[in-house]
Amino acid sequence: MPEDPFELLNSMTQQALPKIASKVTGPVKVFQFTGEGYEPFYVEIGGGTVKLTKVLTSHQRPQYR
């Protein structure tokens, strides 16, 4: 079975975040990933960070303040 894309991307992001944090300071952009064989997830980039969130239901979306 191939590696879970969420776990792979999360691991790579956490390792790289200290180097890229200063380059992702703009507005937050959200990307949704879906596919066969893994749970859908969101990647939020901006505000000085990168956040990955698994989608628990088909109606769940990242909440912004």
Side-chain angles (χ1 to χ4, degrees), residues 20-39:
I20 64 171
S22 65
K23 295 174 177 39
V24 293
T25 58
V28 175
K29 302 290 183 184
V30 180
F31 302 91
Q32 182 178 7
F33 294 85
T34 59
E36 291 185 31
Y38 65 90
E39 296 177 62

Side-chain angles (χ1 to χ4, degrees), residues 25-61:
T25 58
V28 175
K29 302 290 183 184
V30 180
F31 302 91
Q32 182 178 7
F33 294 85
T34 59
E36 291 185 31
Y38 65 90
E39 296 177 62
F41 63 94
Y42 290 101
V43 178
E44 301 174 52
I45 303 172
T49 192
V50 178
K51 178 181 174 187
L52 281 78
T53 306
K54 283 196 176 186
V55 178
L56 302 177
T57 68
S58 61
H59 295 82
Q60 180 182 6
R61 295 187 179 185

